Amino acid sequence: MSLIVHKYGGTSMGSTERIRNVAKRVAKWARAGHQMVVVPSAMSGETNRLLGLAKELAPERPDTAYYRELDMLAATGEQASSALLAIALQAEGLEAVSYAGWQVPIRTDSAYTKARIDSIDDARVRADLAAGKVVIVTGFQGVDEAGNITTLGRGGSDTSAVAVAAALKADECLIYTDVDGVYTTDPRIVPEARRLHSISFEEMLEMASLGSKVLQIRSVEFAGKYKVPLRVLSSFTPWDIPIEEEARSGTLITFEEDEDMEQAVVSGIAFNRDEAKISVLGVPDKPGIAAQILGAVADANIEVDMIIQNVGKEGRTDFSFTVHRNDYARTMDLLKEKVAPALGAQEVVGDAKICKVSIVGIGMRSHVGVASTMFRSLSEEGINIQMISTSEIKTSVVIDEKYMELAVRALHRAFGLDAE
Amino acid sequence: MSLIVHKYGGTSMGSTERIRNVAKRVAKWARAGHQMVVVPSAMSGETNRLLGLAKELAPERPDTAYYRELDMLAATGEQASSALLAIALQAEGLEAVSYAGWQVPIRTDSAYTKARIDSIDDARVRADLAAGKVVIVTGFQGVDEAGNITTLGRGGSDTSAVAVAAALKADECLIYTDVDGVYTTDPRIVPEARRLHSISFEEMLEMASLGSKVLQIRSVEFAGKYKVPLRVLSSFTPWDIPIEEEARSGTLITFEEDEDMEQAVVSGIAFNRDEAKISVLGVPDKPGIAAQILGAVADANIEVDMIIQNVGKEGRTDFSFTVHRNDYARTMDLLKEKVAPALGAQEVVGDAKICKVSIVGIGMRSHVGVASTMFRSLSEEGINIQMISTSEIKTSVVIDEKYMELAVRALHRAFGLDAE
């Protein structure tokens, strides 16, 4: 007998028919003798509907009292779907009970709309599991020390599920979603993309942070911190496939680099086109330049991703970085009007039509020449590299947006990821 | 400065535009210097939508675990509208905060879907009021001793509002609804019906229990028990009418029979056609008959309204009572198959096509001949009276359903209730 946590996304909970399917699937696992905890998201569209009503009433504004009410509002979507799933499980003949975040309780800080989990009390859930019940823990939400409802941010139900699995020391946390696992890259771009049977936690973290949208990045961080075995799999397989088959499907996120792992040098290709690049040219090359530029950007609450500073010559250097495309115009204004004049920089140039393409793989640690293979295959396609950034297990390049698909396909092939 | 509780029904909260109007009205009261607590219902249609989803998943069944989940589900509707109202009030420039039932907390028993309020902790609300905030208390819901969410049954937000007003010793509880007060009878039946400026608590209780649907009967009982001054008024007057005018509008439910009260003998005519009558004929006239008949009915969980037993003759008597029309067939079966044979009764007859018409008035205490005026005016219209039941301040008759409108109009005129 194992203790298993299932998490179902909004699409999987999108209608009463789908909720009934979820209930049948959970019932299959419970009948196989497993202790079951289920974390459902709100029915798809519900969170947007609720927040849409709020927007009709008042423009969004950075105000704690306002964010508190947004959380009161948004938290109702998950509470409703949890109760509905409990009812569906009862209709399957199981004993089932649902708990809102505050009932568990799942304790968080008070950062409304993006709260972080501090602790989870497992007593109530354990008592129910011991009594043979399926326990539904409402995702996406918690309660702060003063008893206010908080939410964990978009995709927060992934984090709820992993945190609950960690608190209960679950044997495995299964994230059911509308894709059937983690792929070497997006199959919509590269039809030859393969599903990975397993991926290391560190690779998954890079994939998530680089734009692969299978899992919320904080849930991966959480899984890493507490060593929660995590599996991403599809909720659209028939609910009655054999449990052994289901338990091996999808992609397992592992924490041990054991012998059995796929030994590819590069595990996947990630990409995103949400960024824009900005360069401050001809900056006097002296200590404190980076701090002055990025300090001003941070003060304006703009997040920076890649940062590049090249060696200078003739007493001047160029400084480049990327920001989210939504912040591009604002950042350019800030630099041109305030930062560059103060620094005595020669020019500020930028480009919003870029994309970032990354290769990710634990094998890069022990294999030389991986980056150069990447650069060569891009060059063979005639793609100019604008920026390069590396870490231990990934290499990212910024290129012209129009070459994105071409680059991803070329790299997928170059690193032997195409399905045979 | 007064402490005022406002309650807004589902229709008043039915769209973001209406929620904005509610916020403007509450803001007007707050700016006039009053401490404001607001209890909103779910947006109209929302509770039905949620319970409809539950019904798609499982047929309703009398099961505590199931009812618990229904309450988890239904409670989300009010929580969402409370948060939306807080956001709308903030947009009006007021400080506002919303609390779910468990956050106040409003403590109830564990009778899911029809829980009763045990106590309300006023500390949190009082602290916010003292800090100048408008406090929104989510209606319809509470929390039991074990921390489960409970709901108070249909119309329960009225009861929440009155209970909160009682706990806070509010100066007045204003129930905003889609009618502009309590009428002498339903204006859809009698166009000459008049709005009452005030009505005594006891009369309101009779009107509510006799089918007048302005207020949930438990909220009236609660108001009576704790002497909460209650006013029923319209949420569809323009929000910016002068506050003095608004404070005098609608119908005040009073607890003192003071000189100023309207001195009509009869205050209103109530009616309903939700009942059916059943007679057990030729029952042996001996002690314990009523207990045997009604005991069997109560054991089947069927509620009985009017009960009539006439003096017997020749050792036999007839016993009649009314039940809700939905329970008619079930009650007839029970009596015919089990009760009548066991009692040695001669016959069981019934009629579902009846209605009950009642006159209500505190003046009946001190005026003689009120009932006979009622019977005479019905007789003048050729309406046969099938059953009669009286209490201190009301007289009810059961008549053929088809005469209902005729009877109500005749009585309205006979007791001088028609508007001049």
Side-chain angles (χ1 to χ4, degrees), chain A residues 25 175-181 232-237 246 249-250:
Chain A
R25 192 181 297 275
I175 309 279
Y176 288 86
T177 175
D178 50 2
V179 296
D180 67 349
V232 176
L233 66 175
S234 171
S235 68
F236 292 114
T237 56
E246 188 171 321
S249 70

Side-chain angles (χ1 to χ4, degrees), chain A residues 16 20 56 69 98 103 147, chain B residues 16 20 56 69 98 103 147:
Chain A
T16 49
R20 201 176 290 121
E56 285 177 30
E69 301 303 327
S98 74
Q103 290 177 309
Chain B
T16 48
R20 201 176 289 122
E56 286 176 31
E69 301 302 327
S98 73
Q103 290 178 308

Side-chain angles (χ1 to χ4, degrees), chain B residues 167-211:
Chain B
L168 293 168
K169 298 182 179 57
D171 294 282
E172 200 167 295
C173 178
L174 279 65
I175 309 279
Y176 288 85
T177 176
D178 49 2
V179 297
D180 66 349
V182 180
Y183 274 70
T184 50
T185 196
D186 189 336
R188 284 169 300 186
I189 305 279
V190 184
E192 294 82 7
R194 277 187 302 114
R195 178 169 60 80
L196 295 163
H197 295 292
S198 67
I199 184 170
S200 77
F201 151 71
E202 290 151 297
E203 288 169 320
M204 189 64 224
L205 204 54
E206 290 286 1
M207 294 291 274
S209 65
L210 293 170

Side-chain angles (χ1 to χ4, degrees), chain A residues 127-192:
Chain A
D128 285 329
L129 290 174
K133 291 182 190 172
V134 174
V135 181
I136 296 148
V137 174
T138 306
F140 179 61
Q141 60 179 247
V143 62
D144 74 3
E145 217 173 326
N148 299 300
I149 292 175
T150 55
T151 69
L152 309 181
R154 282 286 159 135
S157 293
D158 285 347
T159 305
S160 300
V162 174
V164 166
L168 294 168
K169 298 184 179 56
D171 294 283
E172 200 166 295
C173 179
L174 278 65
I175 309 279
Y176 288 86
T177 175
D178 50 2
V179 296
D180 67 349
V182 180
Y183 274 70
T184 50
T185 195
D186 188 335
R188 283 169 300 186
I189 303 279
V190 183
E192 294 82 7

Side-chain angles (χ1 to χ4, degrees), chain B residues 20-312:
Chain B
R20 201 176 289 122
N21 268 323
V22 167
K24 286 180 191 296
R25 192 182 297 276
V26 171
K28 176 181 71 180
W29 283 75
R31 293 205 179 97
H34 299 297
Q35 290 191 322
M36 298 300 301
V37 176
V38 188
V39 179
S41 295
M43 294 175 78
S44 56
E46 183 62 7
T47 307
N48 284 338
R49 183 184 75 84
L50 291 166
L51 297 180
L53 291 170
K55 244 178 223 167
E56 286 176 31
L57 288 170
E60 207 178 320
R61 63 177 192 286
D63 173 84
T64 305
Y66 168 75
Y67 285 141
R68 180 192 180 279
E69 301 302 327
L70 278 189
D71 278 2
M72 274 291 276
L73 179 66
T76 63
E78 276 74 14
Q79 182 175 323
S81 70
S82 291
L84 289 169
L85 181 55
I87 289 167
L89 281 163
Q90 290 169 357
E92 292 296 321
L94 295 174
E95 280 195 82
V97 62
S98 73
Y99 294 117
W102 63 270
Q103 290 178 308
V104 175
I106 295 178
R107 298 244 173 244
T108 71
D109 61 21
S110 300
Y112 299 116
T113 74
K114 49 176 198 281
R116 283 178 178 271
I117 295 175
D118 288 333
S119 68
I120 295 182
D121 186 338
D122 64 347
R124 201 164 183 171
V125 177
R126 275 198 195 283
D128 285 330
L129 290 174
K133 291 181 189 172
V134 174
V135 181
I136 296 148
V137 173
T138 306
F140 179 62
Q141 61 179 246
V143 62
D144 74 4
E145 218 172 324
N148 298 300
I149 292 175
T150 56
T151 70
L152 310 180
R154 282 284 160 139
S157 292
D158 285 349
T159 305
S160 300
V162 174
V164 166
L168 293 168
K169 298 182 179 57
D171 294 282
E172 200 167 295
C173 178
L174 279 65
I175 309 279
Y176 288 85
T177 176
D178 49 2
V179 297
D180 66 349
V182 180
Y183 274 70
T184 50
T185 196
D186 189 336
R188 284 169 300 186
I189 305 279
V190 184
E192 294 82 7
R194 277 187 302 114
R195 178 169 60 80
L196 295 163
H197 295 292
S198 67
I199 184 170
S200 77
F201 151 71
E202 290 151 297
E203 288 169 320
M204 189 64 224
L205 204 54
E206 290 286 1
M207 294 291 274
S209 65
L210 293 170
S212 169
K213 299 206 174 65
V214 177
L215 281 176
Q216 196 206 23
I217 185 160
R218 279 172 52 198
S219 73
V220 182
E221 287 168 359
F222 221 103
K225 188 166 169 194
Y226 294 101
K227 302 266 181 294
V228 178
L230 204 60
R231 184 178 292 276
V232 175
L233 66 174
S234 171
S235 68
F236 292 115
T237 56
W239 68 265
D240 56 354
I241 63 168
I243 202 164
E244 303 73 27
E245 189 183 321
E246 188 171 320
R248 283 192 313 268
S249 70
T251 301
L252 180 68
I253 292 136
T254 61
F255 299 93
E256 289 141 38
E257 297 175 37
D258 60 278
E259 307 293 305
D260 297 345
M261 276 187 60
E262 292 164 89
Q263 284 302 321
V265 175
V266 168
S267 293
I269 317 289
F271 54 86
N272 85 61
R273 55 186 125 197
D274 296 335
E275 296 190 16
K277 76 165 179 185
I278 294 172
S279 297
V280 187
L281 304 177
V283 190
D285 192 3
K286 58 185 182 189
I289 288 300
Q292 266 184 279
I293 296 175
L294 295 182
V297 172
D299 288 346
N301 222 357
I302 296 165
E303 239 177 291
V304 168
D305 178 28
M306 287 171 79
I307 301 166
I308 314 261
Q309 184 180 352
N310 221 331
V311 289

Side-chain angles (χ1 to χ4, degrees), chain A residues 273-281 296-297 300-305 319-337 339 347-355 386-387 398 401:
Chain A
R273 56 186 124 198
D274 296 335
E275 297 189 17
K277 77 165 179 183
I278 295 173
S279 298
V280 188
L281 305 177
V297 172
N301 223 355
I302 296 164
E303 239 176 291
V304 169
D305 178 28
F319 188 91
S320 299
F321 58 96
T322 62
V323 296
H324 196 282
R325 212 174 270 195
N326 293 342
D327 293 325
Y328 175 64
R330 202 155 60 95
T331 314
M332 284 296 279
D333 289 349
L334 175 74
L335 290 175
K336 281 187 178 165
E337 287 161 24
V339 181
E347 202 183 353
V348 178
V349 295
D351 185 357
K353 293 187 178 261
I354 57 153
C355 72
Q386 303 179 9
M387 292 169 79
V398 165
E401 182 187 50

Side-chain angles (χ1 to χ4, degrees), chain A residues 384-399:
Chain A
N384 185 42
I385 297 172
Q386 303 179 9
M387 292 169 79
I388 298 173
S389 163
T390 63
S391 76
E392 207 184 2
I393 65 163
K394 73 132 209 275
T395 301
S396 301
V397 297
V398 165
I399 58 173

